[in-house]
Amino acid sequence: MTVDQDAANGLGKRLHSTGADIEGVLSVVLPKNLRTGDLEGIARASFHYATHYLNSKGESMRWPAGREWLEGGVDELADAIEYLSLSERQLARGTEVLETIVRHTAGRLAEQAGEAALDRIASTLQQKSGEQTERMAAAIFVSAFVFHTAIERQGDIPSVPLEGSIDKGQLLSRWNATCDINYLPIFTVACDLLKELPIIAVPPVMNRIAQSISELVQLGVTTYHDLAGRMFQTLITDRKFLATSCTLPESAYLLAELAVERLDVDWSDRLAIEKLRIADFACGTGALLSAAQRAIYHRYRRGGGDDKDLHRHLMEQVLTGLDVMPAATHLTCSMPSSSHPSLSYGECQIHTVPYGIDGGETHIGALDLLDSDRSFSLFATNQTMGGTKSARRRQHSVTIKDKSCDLVIMNPPLPRPTNHEARYADIPVPSFAGFQTAPEAQHAMQSKLKRAGSLFSDGHAGLASNFMDLADRKLREGGVLAVVIPFVFLRGKSWKRAREALEDRYSDIHVTSIATTGSKARALSADTKMAECLVVATRRSEAGSRAVFSNLAARPSTLLEAAVGAKGANHKTVRGSILRFRDTVTVQEWILEAQ
C-alpha cells in the first residue's frame, strides 16, 4: 500500500482521544538519506509531499491532483500542515450560517426600520438604499456581535446581551464602552448604524442576531484561528450577496507572499518585525492587509515565535489602512483582528478618511497625503488602554510620514463607467463622480489632485496611477511596492508614464498575471471583469541600478505554492494547478531585470 493510499484511507476516520473526524492528512516521501536515519540534514532536505482533505461536501480530495507531488523543505511542510488545520467543511458550514443570519437580519431591517431610517443608514455607509446596503448593515451588526462575544472575557469589556429583548440604549452603551477600549472601527460604525434605527426596530433586528450567534460560536468563530476572517471574506467575495468589490483571497495571499518575502527582516526577531510599517491606502475589505499579516505570522512561527506575542503591536503600529467607506474600515479592522479576536489592543491605524467637500475643505481620500504627511480621519482610532475616552467623531489628523513605509500593498480603485461620468464628461478622473458627488465638488477634487503633481499619472490611467504616486512617496528606499492593477499597465499608452516611473525608481520589478484569454478570466479582483496583474517592485536607492522591462518567464515556485496554500484555492484564477503550470490556467511572470 502506498503512502498516498494510507493518507487517503485516513480521511473520515475518528481520533480515539477526542472522537473528532480526521479531515486532512499530509503524505510525505522522505529523501533517501533520511530513510536511513540520518536526521542531521533534515533542515536542508527536500521532500515530496501531497495533501489529502475532505472538501466542503465531504468528498476526498488530493492536491495536487493525479499522481504529481509538491516539493519543498521543512518550512513548506509546516505551511501545508497549517493550511490543512482549517476544516473546509467547518468553513463552509460557518459561512452558510453567517449568510443565513445576515440575510434574515437584513430582511428584518427592511421590514422594521422604515424608509427614513434605511435612507440614513445608506447615507452613513455612503451606499445607495436597497437590499445590498441592508445586507451590508446587517453584516456589520453581526460582525460586531461576533467580536463582542470574542472579547467579553476581558475584564473591562461589558458582556454581550444575548438574553431577553435587546434594548437600543443598553446595546449602544455597551458598544460605546467597548469602543473606549478596543476595536474602534468595528464598533463605531456599528454604533453609527444602530443610532439610526428607531427604538421599536432594535429588538426584532438584534434579537435575531443574538439568537443565532451561539451557533457561530459553537463552530469556533470566536476562538479558531482565522476562521471568522475567512468566513466574512467568503461572504464578501460573493458579489451576489454583498455588493463589495474586493481582492480575491487567493490573489491577496499570492501578492502578500511575493511582497513580504522581499522584506529584509530576521523573522525570528520580534523587535525587528515590530519596527515594520505596512500600509494599504485603499484598504477595501482588508484582504491585502490581512494577507500580509498572515504572511508575517507564519514566518514568525517558522522562526520559533508565537504570533500572539506580535498581535497587539502589529494591530497598533505595523498595519495602516485608509479608505473613504465606513464599511470598508469596519471590515478591514475585522479581518486582521480575527486572527486573535480575544486579544486586546489599544490603538489601531485603520481610518475612514474624508472624501469630497467636508467642513469647507476639499478632500480626495487618502490622496490628500500626496501633498502632506497628514490626512484626516472621520473618527479617531488612537486611544490608550486604560479606558480613556476619545472624541471619536471629532476630525483629527492622521500622520504618515514620507519614506516611512516598508511595504505598501494595494488594490487601488479603478474608474468605472457611470451615469455621472456620462453626464459630466469633462471630469478628467471619473472616480470623483462617485458617492453622488456634486459637479462643483468633482472639479474642486480634480484641481486638488492636479496641484499635488504626479510622476506616475498623465491623467488618463485613472486613480490607480495616482495611488502609485502615493505609495512611491511613502515608501522608504528598499521598501516594497505591491499592487493589483489593470493588465493594460504592461502595454497601454495611458500607462506609459507609470511604466517609465517604475523603471526609473524601482528594481527587481516582477509582474504576475494569468496566462489565458479573455479579460474576465484574467481578473484578480471580485467582479471587475477586467484583466489584471500583480506588480511587486523594490524602491531603489539613488545609486541603485535602473530596471528595464524585459524577459518573459513562466516558472514554478515554492513561494507561489506557499502563497495559495497546500489545499489549493476555490477560485480558478489562482489555484494549485496554476502553480505547477498544469490543467486549465497558467501564471505568467514578467521578470523585469536590473541592468
Side-chain angles (χ1 to χ4, degrees), residues 545-561:
S545 59
R546 187 175 185 272
V548 295
F549 283 81
S550 63
N551 300 348
L552 171 65
R555 55 183 177 80
S557 163
T558 56
L559 173 63
L560 298 181
E561 290 162 6

Side-chain angles (χ1 to χ4, degrees), residues 223-241:
T223 56
Y224 203 98
H225 179 77
D226 208 30
L227 180 60
R230 286 280 299 275
M231 283 167 46
F232 277 100
Q233 192 67 45
T234 301
L235 192 70
I236 292 162
T237 305
D238 184 356
R239 291 281 294 176
K240 297 186 296 295
F241 195 76

Side-chain angles (χ1 to χ4, degrees), residues 33-108:
N33 63 310
L34 296 184
R35 296 178 202 173
T36 60
D38 176 19
L39 300 181
E40 292 184 2
I42 192 169
R44 300 183 301 276
S46 179
F47 302 87
H48 286 87
Y49 64 98
T51 60
H52 304 259
Y53 62 97
L54 298 178
N55 65 12
S56 59
K57 299 178 181 179
E59 300 166 337
S60 177
M61 307 294 292
R62 183 188 191 273
W63 188 78
R67 298 183 179 181
E68 301 295 334
W69 295 88
L70 301 174
E71 186 174 355
V74 173
D75 284 350
E76 284 70 35
L77 291 181
D79 288 338
I81 293 170
E82 187 173 317
Y83 285 110
L84 279 173
S85 66
L86 181 58
S87 162
E88 292 293 326
R89 291 196 295 180
Q90 185 180 32
L91 176 62
R93 176 57 183 156
T95 303
E96 180 183 350
V97 171
L98 177 64
E99 181 179 329
T100 299
I101 297 173
V102 170
R103 181 184 291 108
H104 289 173
T105 302
R108 293 197 178 191

Side-chain angles (χ1 to χ4, degrees), residues 138-157:
I140 289 172
F141 286 139
V142 172
S143 70
F145 266 88
V146 167
F147 278 91
H148 194 169
T149 303
I151 64 178
E152 69 174 343
R153 288 168 291 178
Q154 300 171 23
D156 296 330
I157 301 291

Side-chain angles (χ1 to χ4, degrees), residues 181-234:
I181 301 170
N182 203 356
Y183 299 118
L184 191 64
I186 295 175
F187 291 102
T188 296
V189 177
C191 284
D192 287 347
L193 298 180
L194 180 57
K195 289 174 185 176
E196 303 299 344
L197 288 180
I199 292 175
I200 196 172
V202 172
V205 172
M206 298 304 165
N207 287 348
R208 174 66 184 92
I209 302 175
Q211 292 164 5
S212 306
I213 207 74
S214 59
E215 188 170 0
L216 287 176
V217 173
Q218 290 172 6
L219 286 167
V221 69
T222 61
T223 56
Y224 203 98
H225 179 77
D226 208 30
L227 180 60
R230 286 280 299 275
M231 283 167 46
F232 277 100
Q233 192 67 45
T234 301

Side-chain angles (χ1 to χ4, degrees), residues 315-577:
M315 293 300 302
E316 292 178 351
Q317 299 294 332
V318 176
L319 299 180
T320 296
L322 306 181
D323 205 284
V324 298
M325 299 283 287
T329 52
H330 171 97
L331 294 167
T332 294
C333 189
S334 299
M335 292 301 112
S337 295
S338 69
S339 291
H340 296 289
S342 62
L343 296 184
S344 175
Y345 53 83
E347 299 180 7
C348 175
Q349 302 303 320
I350 310 297
H351 301 274
T352 304
V353 289
Y355 181 90
I357 307 297
D358 183 73
E361 295 288 330
T362 299
H363 295 285
I364 50 177
L367 295 176
D368 282 345
L369 291 166
L370 282 170
D371 60 5
S372 173
D373 284 346
R374 292 187 177 186
S375 181
F376 293 91
S377 175
L378 293 181
F379 55 84
T381 58
N382 293 333
Q383 60 217 281
T384 61
M385 281 296 293
T388 302
K389 293 184 178 181
S390 58
R392 291 191 294 273
R393 301 309 304 171
R394 178 176 57 82
Q395 234 184 45
H396 77 296
S397 62
V398 178
T399 301
I400 303 175
K401 294 182 179 179
D402 292 350
K403 297 185 178 181
S404 64
C405 295
D406 299 278
L407 167 62
V408 175
I409 184 167
M410 295 187 297
N411 187 348
L414 301 174
R416 294 176 178 84
T418 67
N419 291 335
H420 282 284
E421 291 153 24
R423 183 176 178 184
Y424 308 117
D426 59 327
I427 301 300
V429 181
S431 294
F432 288 150
F435 304 149
Q436 298 181 336
T437 308
E440 57 272 19
Q442 295 178 31
H443 283 290
M445 295 164 75
Q446 176 60 16
S447 295
K448 182 172 184 176
L449 184 62
K450 283 184 175 180
R451 289 195 300 271
S454 177
L455 292 171
F456 285 78
S457 177
D458 64 0
H460 300 290
L463 287 183
S465 56
N466 298 108
F467 274 90
M468 292 180 74
D469 273 305
L470 178 57
D472 180 74
R473 177 162 182 158
K474 300 305 176 184
L475 278 171
R476 64 168 178 80
E477 292 183 358
V480 178
L481 171 69
V483 291
V484 183
I485 54 176
F487 186 80
V488 70
F489 160 80
L490 287 174
R491 297 190 181 94
K493 183 178 179 180
S494 61
W495 283 91
K496 181 181 178 182
R497 190 166 181 176
R499 290 194 299 272
E500 291 174 345
L502 201 66
E503 290 180 60
D504 187 55
R505 302 172 69 83
Y506 289 79
S507 61
D508 301 321
I509 303 170
H510 186 165
V511 183
T512 303
S513 64
I514 299 171
T516 187
T517 58
S519 294
K520 187 175 180 180
R522 291 182 289 164
L524 295 164
S525 304
D527 204 44
T528 59
K529 299 180 181 178
M530 179 185 294
E532 294 168 301
C533 58
L534 309 178
V535 177
V536 183
T538 301
R539 181 82 150 79
R540 67 177 181 84
S541 65
E542 293 302 318
S545 59
R546 187 175 185 272
V548 295
F549 283 81
S550 63
N551 300 348
L552 171 65
R555 55 183 177 80
S557 163
T558 56
L559 173 63
L560 298 181
E561 290 162 6
V564 176
K567 287 184 285 189
N570 294 327
H571 195 278
K572 67 180 180 181
T573 56
V574 183
R575 64 169 105 168
S577 58

